[in-house]
Amino acid sequence: MKMLVIGSGGREDAFVWKLQQEKNVEKIFVCPGHPYMDRFDKVELLPKKNEDELCDFALKENIELTIVGPEAPLTKGVKDKFSDKGLALFGPSQKAAQLEGSKIFSKEFMMKHDIPTADFVVCSDFEKAMAALNDWDMKEGIVIKADGLAGGKGVVVTKDKKIAEQTLYDFMKNPKVSISTDSILLEKVLPGVEVSAFALCHGEEYFFLGSACDHKRVFDNDEGPNTGGMGCFRTPEWPDLKLLEKIESRILKPTLKGCVTTGMPFSGFLFMGLMINEAGDPYVIEYNVRMGDPETQTLFPLIEGDLSTGLIDLMRGKKPKLRLKNESSVHVVMTSGGYPSIDDTPLDKGNRITFTEDLIHSSSEETKLFLAGVSRNEAGEMINSGGRVLGVTALGPTLERAREIAYQSIELIDFKGCHYRRDIGARSRG
Ligand code: AMP
Ligand code: GLY
């Protein structure tokens, strides 16, 4: 089978790593990918294309299955374009992609389908938002969310009324701030522990991938600014089976059913960002309509069975023949110096990356290397060219063992300015 993968980061590197191993996958086109994806011999890299060009390409090349990494092509309707031409793409329609694309759409969806989430109000102008804030009991704090995709910058959680007022001004009025919205969501703060859960879905059929905990802050002990994700872990001990069962029955199943009854059956990866309260009950913070990065690099090495066959089965309404290893997984991300550069100072890029041959070929059973922000210099050497440069995933019988192996491997990699957190998976969250 010929496949097409859309995207270019560590998440897509993990998609390709998995698909490359599967017998019935003959060729994997990646658009645009990164230069080192060609270390997988079934891969052919394509120059950047828009959604129409991707569709033309898939038709011309008889692509049998397309998988999408990032949300942007999905919110722009790539699925609908492929479906119109009779092409199989694993991802939601533009309508269903609003579950990620519009926070207000997704909250209203959750209310309508009795999916547990924080109480909220929607304000359609600045004056109404200020009035709602005035009436807000700030003891527990407030969450302010701009509607629409905001690259992770559209959410502020605070107990300080002055900061809340400034945020409303910034999001709704301030011309100097990149986020600009007429619709704002004010939400109650959910106390608890955050975890994300994932499923491969098609209509009401699904394969539950379980959960993973991302570390978003750049420095150890969750200090410093937010990033796209500095590392991630999954352990079978937490969430335990009882909690996973609650997530499945109270959130995953009603979400898929709700999508069907609203006339937007969900096909694709469903990412449920959750808060687990003290009583052990899950609440939805947000949906994403794609896999996470670095959650994919953490979870995919645990999947046993053919993903390509599993997805085709699922899209034909059959339960996929996939299983998850009952092991712990730890993924540590290595970044360029200066990342995440909240003040836009240039990152320390273009430095030669050194590491062992064993790692580059991802040949070890226990350790996988996933590449993201890398390119080749004129001498043909690997250099860092992005914020999140690469990451190592290790599996182990315990979280502690997986951590140990991941850190032994990451210590073998070096480049000028490189940075990684040393506490990924150090404390299980349960
Ligand atoms: P979101 O973009 O909606 O995922 O929000 C970004 C982050 O803000 C989440 O990962 C949470 O850490 C936090 N957050 C969002 N909504 C809430 C909430 N209702 N209660 C507590 N924290 C929240
Ligand atoms: N790691 C969080 C995300 O992919 O959105």
Side-chain angles (χ1 to χ4, degrees), residues 103 107 118-119 143 145 152 154-157 187-191 194 216 226 273 275 284-286 288:
K103 292 189 188 297
K107 289 296 272 195
D119 289 341
V143 187
K145 297 185 177 179
V155 178
V156 169
V157 185
E187 203 174 291
K188 281 201 175 157
V189 176
L190 291 165
E194 260 188 272
K216 289 214 167 81
N226 262 326
M275 191 70 86
V284 178
I285 295 176
E286 64 161 353
N288 294 310

Side-chain angles (χ1 to χ4, degrees), residues 214 216 228 271 288 290 292-295:
D214 186 10
K216 289 214 167 81
F271 174 151
N288 294 310
R290 52 173 174 83
D293 183 341
E295 289 88 342

